[in-house]
Amino acid sequence: MPLPVLLAGAVVGAVLAHDNHKSYLCQLDNDRDNSLKLETGREPSELLPSPKNVSMVPGTIVCCEVFDAFIHTGVVIDDNTIVELHGSGLIRAISKKRFLDERSGQYIFAACDRLGRPLVFSLIQELASQDIFNYYEYHLLNANCYRHTWRWLTGEDIAIERFKEFNQKLSQKTGSEIYWDVVI
């Protein structure tokens, strides 16, 4: 008898956590619309995507969700091409559709400002393009997409373990909050 009660408790707890997270995201969206200052903005969420939609703009950083566990980043180099570090270690140029293939996410998110304008970084597009077809040793925590996206952005080659850390560094670099809006 105790096992069904424990399972029911786990389900109720998961539902409450899900609802709390959705409420939190809604509050962030309200704060953004009301021009309240947030620490780093709003992270991407498949659960409740940002209500703002944007087009892919060359020089913008984009991301998508991978199996509800990770956020994967890349750089837009033209209207339909993203440069990414693949899990094999290959830097490759792929379409928007391919960026989402074999990943759980259905949305691509672009780094934007409070008003929903994609943040465009002038040199990132060129540096990412020059790296296509190069191969790097890949490591989930130390030599991942965050490290390469950051290197293309700043020239600084440092390990970045988690998306949250990447997002904070990006916010510090731009001097503003980062909002991850849905790419249409």
Side-chain angles (χ1 to χ4, degrees), residues 113-171:
D113 66 11
R114 172 182 293 285
L115 300 174
R117 295 177 299 213
L119 298 172
V120 177
F121 303 96
S122 56
L123 291 179
I124 197 169
Q125 179 182 357
E126 181 182 333
L127 294 174
S129 295
Q130 290 172 358
D131 219 5
I132 296 171
F133 298 122
N134 284 333
Y135 175 82
Y136 295 88
E137 289 296 321
Y138 177 84
H139 185 275
L140 185 61
L141 297 178
N142 299 322
N144 52 29
C145 60
Y146 313 134
R147 180 180 194 145
H148 286 274
T149 303
W150 186 254
R151 183 174 53 82
W152 295 327
L153 177 63
T154 66
E156 185 180 28
D157 189 15
I158 59 170
I160 302 174
E161 291 185 13
R162 293 180 304 281
F163 181 80
K164 183 174 183 115
E165 181 183 356
F166 175 80
N167 199 43
Q168 289 170 338
K169 290 177 108 19
L170 189 57
S171 180

Side-chain angles (χ1 to χ4, degrees), residues 24-180:
Y24 171 72
L25 293 172
C26 286
Q27 185 61 50
L28 289 178
D29 291 335
N30 289 336
D31 290 349
R32 176 184 186 177
D33 291 340
N34 296 326
S35 297
L36 295 178
K37 178 93 171 116
L38 303 174
E39 187 173 320
T40 57
R42 185 192 200 274
E43 291 189 4
S45 172
E46 287 281 333
L47 175 65
L48 185 67
S50 166
K52 296 190 185 289
N53 295 319
V54 298
S55 297
M56 273 195 355
V57 177
T60 301
I61 297 171
V62 293
C63 68
C64 68
E65 192 172 279
V66 181
F67 305 118
D68 300 321
F70 303 100
I71 301 292
H72 176 63
T73 60
V75 172
V76 178
I77 60 168
D78 68 31
D79 294 341
N80 191 41
T81 308
I82 299 169
V83 175
E84 68 168 5
L85 170 67
H86 185 262
S88 66
L90 177 67
I91 302 293
R92 62 186 192 166
I94 57 175
S95 68
K96 288 182 350 184
K97 182 181 181 312
R98 184 83 173 117
F99 189 69
L100 291 174
D101 280 354
E102 300 175 14
R103 299 182 176 125
S104 64
Q106 67 182 55
Y107 301 106
I108 295 175
F109 301 92
C112 295
D113 66 11
R114 172 182 293 285
L115 300 174
R117 295 177 299 213
L119 298 172
V120 177
F121 303 96
S122 56
L123 291 179
I124 197 169
Q125 179 182 357
E126 181 182 333
L127 294 174
S129 295
Q130 290 172 358
D131 219 5
I132 296 171
F133 298 122
N134 284 333
Y135 175 82
Y136 295 88
E137 289 296 321
Y138 177 84
H139 185 275
L140 185 61
L141 297 178
N142 299 322
N144 52 29
C145 60
Y146 313 134
R147 180 180 194 145
H148 286 274
T149 303
W150 186 254
R151 183 174 53 82
W152 295 327
L153 177 63
T154 66
E156 185 180 28
D157 189 15
I158 59 170
I160 302 174
E161 291 185 13
R162 293 180 304 281
F163 181 80
K164 183 174 183 115
E165 181 183 356
F166 175 80
N167 199 43
Q168 289 170 338
K169 290 177 108 19
L170 189 57
S171 180
Q172 290 167 353
K173 169 97 175 127
T174 63
S176 67
E177 303 148 318
I178 307 297
Y179 294 87
W180 294 90

